[in-house]
Amino acid sequence: MANTYFDYEANADRISNGFPVAFDYLEDEHVTVEVNGVENTDTELTTSTPIKVKILSGVTAGQNVRVRRKSQPDTNLVDFVNGSVL
């Protein structure tokens, strides 16, 4: 199974440059950030390579930051139509 989150310890470099998004995702809304277990919505996702998420406020050095992919299992992300005829 693919990793759906990565944990980082906040330091000055990651706070200023962003935390790596090391997993695949379909929509920007699926990338969420938690700081010490509390969701932080004041973030910005970069589209340049490597993809990073920058926390704009609410994080200091030494805190635990979890970058995760979060999507609802009951929401269809793509339209599927079986095209085969038996």
Side-chain angles (χ1 to χ4, degrees), residues 26 75-80:
L26 294 176
T75 302
N76 292 332
L77 299 177
V78 295
D79 293 329
F80 175 78

Side-chain angles (χ1 to χ4, degrees), residues 33-40 64-66:
V33 175
E34 296 174 2
V35 178
N36 285 345
V38 178
E39 189 169 355
N40 185 321
N64 182 39
V65 174
R66 177 171 281 184

Side-chain angles (χ1 to χ4, degrees), residues 39-73:
E39 189 169 355
N40 185 321
T41 58
D42 193 14
T43 61
E44 180 179 275
L45 197 63
T46 65
T47 56
S48 61
T49 304
I51 297 173
K52 294 182 179 181
V53 62
K54 188 170 183 180
I55 302 173
L56 303 177
S57 66
V59 65
T60 57
Q63 290 183 310
N64 182 39
V65 174
R66 177 171 281 184
V67 178
R68 76 170 40 219
R69 179 179 63 229
K70 192 174 184 182
S71 57
Q72 299 301 323

